[in-house]
Amino acid sequence: MNIEIIHEPTIEKPFLVIYKPKGLASAPLVEGNTENALAQAIEKFPEISGVHGKKEIEFGLLHRLDTATDGLMVIATSQECYDFLNEEQKTGRFIKFYTAECDILPDNSKILEGFPPDTPSFKQSMITTTSYFRPYGEGRKEVRPVTEKSGKAALAKLGKPKLYTTEIIIEKKNNTTAIAECRITEGYRHQVRCHLAWSGFPVKGDTLYNSNYKENNSDIKKAENVLKFSATKISFEYPRGDLNSYDRKDTWT
């Protein structure tokens, strides 16, 4: 599993845009691990390792993708570029787009449990979903949205007390399947997948947030072994006033 270079860094634009395949981690969890997209990028562009990021072992990496998710990632190759784009993320000017093929399951969040009672409107074609998040489940492998209507126990387990928003456009293909185009700025782990699940449109192949997989349906598990979810577009300014936009669709989209 190798990364694909979408944009090579230049003097004027000292950042790298890569395509990460499904099954490859975005970054190391411990120092020295090389089985990840960031390590492959550093091997090709060593200047990345001179950038000081949020975590010492992440260098110029500006954002992550889940291991099961493929798509576009941005890595700064200069400190000035990293600091600028990191601030752009905080102020909502670093836009990430995702495409998902989803099952239509209105009761998905009720079956999975742990979701707030105020479910987003399922019948709308345009959904704006906003929530806090908390870790959930065995080994804290999942997350759940948290709102002011969540119970006291859920509110007490809040991770970062920050609101995250996912804008979703739904196009129904038939009575059971839909395509979702999603837009976020600064993101939380599993944010888009979880917000889709909460809205009644869990991603096909998502064993964490799609209730079809919680019901031990072996036929579904056998047929849908790929997460139909990709980070398909990214847009940001660098330098100020110069819009950079990159698209990359996976084969399933």
Side-chain angles (χ1 to χ4, degrees):
M1 292 179 289
N2 296 318
I3 63 172
E4 177 184 332
I5 306 301
I6 305 299
H7 166 78
E8 293 193 7
T10 64
I11 294 175
E12 294 79 16
K13 297 188 177 185
F15 58 82
L16 178 68
V17 181
I18 66 169
Y19 168 82
K20 182 194 81 67
K22 295 182 188 298
L24 182 67
S26 293
L29 293 177
V30 295
E31 188 174 358
N33 179 269
T34 59
E35 300 297 321
N36 57 81
L38 179 60
Q40 289 188 25
I42 291 174
E43 186 176 358
K44 295 176 182 292
F45 303 97
E47 59 267 36
I48 294 170
S49 60
V51 179
H52 299 286
K54 296 176 185 176
K55 295 182 180 180
E56 188 175 346
I57 60 174
E58 292 190 357
F59 304 106
L61 184 66
L62 281 151
H63 61 105
R64 290 169 169 259
L65 293 177
D66 303 332
T67 298
T69 302
D70 69 297
L72 300 178
M73 295 171 53
V74 180
I75 306 170
T77 57
S78 79
Q79 191 66 50
E80 184 277 333
C81 180
Y82 177 87
D83 293 341
F84 178 87
L85 291 180
N86 189 45
E87 192 61 30
E88 292 292 277
Q89 290 192 94
K90 293 178 182 178
T91 54
R93 292 192 293 265
F94 190 97
I95 315 299
K96 292 165 280 190
F97 300 83
Y98 297 81
T99 301
E101 184 174 346
C102 306
D103 288 318
I104 301 176
L105 300 173
D107 293 329
N108 187 67
S109 62
K110 294 179 182 178
I111 296 170
L112 293 180
E113 301 181 340
F115 286 80
D118 45 335
T119 306
S121 178
F122 170 79
K123 295 183 179 180
Q124 294 180 358
S125 59
M126 298 182 67
I127 305 167
T128 299
T129 306
T130 300
S131 73
Y132 303 101
F133 280 99
R134 65 183 173 105
Y136 185 84
E138 184 179 353
R140 299 160 66 94
K141 292 180 180 179
E142 302 176 35
V143 299
R144 288 292 187 270
V146 178
T147 70
E148 300 302 330
K149 294 185 179 180
S150 297
K152 290 183 179 180
L155 288 165
K157 295 176 183 177
L158 268 182
K160 194 175 181 181
K162 177 181 174 61
L163 286 169
Y164 294 89
T165 297
T166 305
E167 297 175 0
I168 305 168
I169 298 176
I170 295 293
E171 179 184 346
K172 293 184 179 179
K173 297 176 68 175
N174 50 50
N175 290 332
T176 62
T177 303
I179 298 296
E181 299 290 346
C182 309
R183 177 185 185 274
I184 67 170
T185 53
E186 192 175 10
Y188 192 87
R189 179 171 68 100
H190 297 177
Q191 174 183 330
V192 180
R193 290 163 58 190
C194 189
H195 273 169
L196 283 169
W198 186 26
S199 303
F201 297 98
V203 178
K204 287 182 178 291
D206 195 336
T207 57
L208 293 180
Y209 301 105
N210 188 324
S211 59
N212 276 340
Y213 298 88
K214 302 295 183 181
E215 297 178 349
N216 245 344
N217 191 324
S218 58
D219 291 334
I220 291 177
K221 288 184 178 181
K222 185 176 180 180
E224 299 289 350
N225 57 1
V226 176
L227 185 71
K228 298 294 184 72
F229 182 73
S230 299
T232 46
K233 182 179 177 182
I234 198 157
S235 180
F236 56 91
E237 290 186 11
Y238 185 87
R240 173 73 66 234
D242 187 353
L243 181 64
N244 302 275
S245 185
Y246 301 90
D247 290 86
R248 174 65 156 80
K249 296 277 188 177
D250 193 13
T251 52
W252 71 266
T253 55

